Amino acid sequence: MSAFSEAALERKLSELSNSQQSVQTLSLWLIHHRKHSALIVSVWERELRKAKPNRKLTFLYLANDVIQNSKRKGPEFTKDFAPVIVEAFKHVSSESDESCKKHLGRVLSIWEERSVYENDVLEQLRQALYGDRKVRKRTYEQIKVDESNCSPRSSPTDPPQTTDLIRALQELENAASGDAAVHQRIASLPIEVQDVSLLDRITDKESGEQLSKMVDDACMLLADYNGRLAAEIDDRKQLTRMLSDFLRCQKEFLAEKEHKLEEYKRKLARVSQVRKELRSRIQNLPDLSRLPNVTGSHVHLPFAGDIYSDD
C-alpha cells in the first residue's frame, strides 16, 4: 500500500466515487493507516464540507465503512469520528434532498442495530437527521395514498413502496457475488500466494520482495471483495425485511378485501331474496284492470290523455 501523507489523503478523497469498490478500497487504505486516525478524521471532515452536495453522502458511506470494518483492529476510528459525526450528519442532511436523507437514515439504522455508538450519540444523530420528530398533519391526498397502498389495520411500521423494492432489486443486479471479472482475478491468483510450503523456494531478497508484493496485492483484492460481499449480505438482509413487510401488508390488505367481498355477497343475497319475494307477491296480487263493474263490463281505467283532454 502507498505511504500515508495528508496530501495523499486529500488526493484520494478527491478521487472518491460513489461506487462500492471506490469506497471500500479507500476504506481499506485508511484502516491500514489507522495510527493516523485523528488526522484522517480531521481531513475527512474538512474535505466533506468542501465537497459538492452530490458527493457528500459518499463521504458518510466511507466513514461508515471505516468505522464498522476497523472495530476488530482497534477503536481508533470509532473514537475519533464520534466528536464530528453528529455535525457531519447535520451538514449533509441540510444540503440533501429527501432521497439522500433516506440513505442517511439507513446508515443510522445499521448503527443502531449494531450498537456502533452509545445511545446518547445515536439519539443526537436521530435529532440531526429527523429534528424533534413532531408529528406533521397530513393532507387528505396523502392519507388516501396511504390507504390505497396498505390496509389501515397494518402495524405501525410503514411498508416499503413498490418503487423502493424495485430499486433494491436493481441494485443487487450488480452485486459482488455476480462480478465475473473479480471471480476470474481471484481464480487466477498464482499458487505461490496460496501455499505456505512454497516459501522455501525463495532464494534471494529480490524474489522475496516480489512475492511480498504479490501477496499484498492478493490480500487487497480479497479484502476488497470480502467487504463487497459483506455489504451485499447487508443489502440482501435489508431486502428480505422489505419483502417481508411488503408481503405482510399485502396479506392484510387482501384479508380486508376478502372480508368486504363476503360482506357484499351477503348483502347481494339479501337483496336478491327481497327481489324474489317481491316478484312473488306482485304475481299474487289481483289484476285491477280486469275487475268487473256493476253492468258487467270491464272497469275503464283512465290514461293520462283522458285526464287532460279538452272534452
Side-chain angles (χ1 to χ4, degrees):
M1 292 188 181
S2 59
F4 176 84
S5 69
E6 185 171 342
L9 174 57
E10 290 176 352
R11 177 175 53 80
K12 288 180 179 293
L13 288 172
S14 69
E15 297 171 351
L16 180 65
S17 73
N18 197 36
S19 69
Q20 268 191 348
Q21 185 167 2
S22 177
V23 170
Q24 291 169 353
T25 299
L26 182 51
S27 173
L28 287 169
W29 186 80
L30 296 177
I31 294 172
H32 179 74
H33 296 291
R34 61 188 179 279
K35 65 181 179 180
H36 305 288
S37 61
L39 177 58
I40 288 172
V41 172
S42 176
V43 174
W44 173 88
E45 182 185 23
R46 184 181 70 218
E47 296 302 309
L48 165 67
R49 295 183 179 277
K50 290 165 53 179
K52 294 180 179 179
N54 62 349
R55 297 188 66 242
K56 293 182 184 295
L57 180 62
T58 307
F59 275 72
L60 279 177
Y61 281 158
L62 175 63
N64 170 57
D65 200 277
V66 171
I67 291 170
Q68 292 202 65
N69 292 315
S70 66
K71 289 179 69 176
R72 63 180 180 272
K73 294 188 176 182
E76 298 94 335
F77 280 109
T78 304
K79 177 183 175 183
D80 290 333
F81 268 110
V84 303
I85 200 66
V86 173
E87 290 302 318
F89 256 69
K90 286 181 181 178
H91 174 72
V92 176
S93 178
S94 66
E95 298 194 11
S96 304
D97 56 19
E98 289 302 317
S99 175
C100 179
K101 289 180 181 178
K102 287 183 179 179
H103 290 291
L104 287 175
R106 183 180 176 191
V107 172
L108 177 55
S109 297
I110 292 173
W111 289 2
E112 289 174 335
E113 290 174 5
R114 300 179 181 179
S115 301
V116 173
Y117 283 110
E118 298 295 330
N119 288 335
D120 59 335
V121 176
L122 294 174
E123 180 58 31
Q124 292 179 55
L125 290 171
R126 282 191 289 269
Q127 290 287 335
L129 187 56
Y130 301 117
D132 56 7
R133 289 182 172 270
K134 287 183 178 179
V135 178
R136 295 180 298 173
K137 292 184 178 180
R138 298 185 299 165
T139 64
Y140 174 78
E141 288 76 14
Q142 289 173 320
I143 294 173
K144 293 302 291 181
V145 167
D146 287 347
E147 289 178 349
S148 66
N149 285 333
C150 184
S151 163
R153 295 180 299 174
S154 63
S155 72
T157 303
D158 292 333
Q161 299 297 315
T162 306
T163 53
D164 295 331
L165 286 173
I166 293 174
R167 189 181 303 111
L169 288 167
Q170 288 174 336
E171 289 176 354
L172 285 175
E173 289 181 359
N174 299 318
S177 59
D179 193 335
V182 174
H183 293 172
Q184 181 61 35
R185 289 178 61 191
I186 294 174
S188 301
L189 288 174
I191 189 63
E192 289 82 1
V193 305
Q194 305 176 53
D195 192 344
V196 178
S197 64
L198 297 180
L199 294 178
D200 294 337
R201 298 182 181 179
I202 299 175
T203 57
D204 54 58
K205 183 177 180 180
E206 182 180 354
S207 61
E209 289 178 347
Q210 184 178 3
L211 179 58
S212 177
K213 186 179 183 306
M214 292 170 59
V215 171
D216 285 344
D217 291 343
C219 287
M220 187 73 171
L221 173 64
L222 292 170
D224 176 53
Y225 189 57
N226 286 342
R228 291 175 60 197
L229 287 174
E232 180 183 341
I233 290 172
D234 287 339
D235 289 341
R236 291 186 181 277
K237 287 180 179 179
Q238 175 71 10
L239 178 59
T240 299
R241 289 192 292 268
M242 291 172 66
L243 288 170
S244 177
D245 290 341
F246 186 79
L247 181 59
R248 169 189 54 75
C249 173
Q250 294 303 311
K251 284 182 177 180
E252 293 178 0
F253 188 58
L254 176 61
E256 180 181 348
K257 294 306 178 185
E258 288 177 340
H259 176 75
K260 287 184 177 180
L261 176 60
E262 292 301 320
E263 180 183 346
Y264 294 150
K265 282 182 178 180
R266 290 192 296 270
K267 288 183 178 180
L268 176 60
R270 290 197 296 268
V271 172
S272 298
Q273 182 63 28
V274 171
R275 183 175 62 178
K276 181 178 179 182
E277 293 181 3
L278 180 58
R279 285 178 175 175
S280 176
R281 287 177 180 273
I282 291 174
Q283 290 174 356
N284 293 329
L285 289 174
D287 189 351
L288 297 179
S289 64
R290 297 184 178 278
L291 288 177
N293 62 11
V294 293
T295 62
S297 62
H298 289 96
V299 175
H300 174 69
L301 297 178
F303 294 97
D306 297 328
I307 297 174
Y308 296 105
S309 65
D310 294 331
D311 295 339

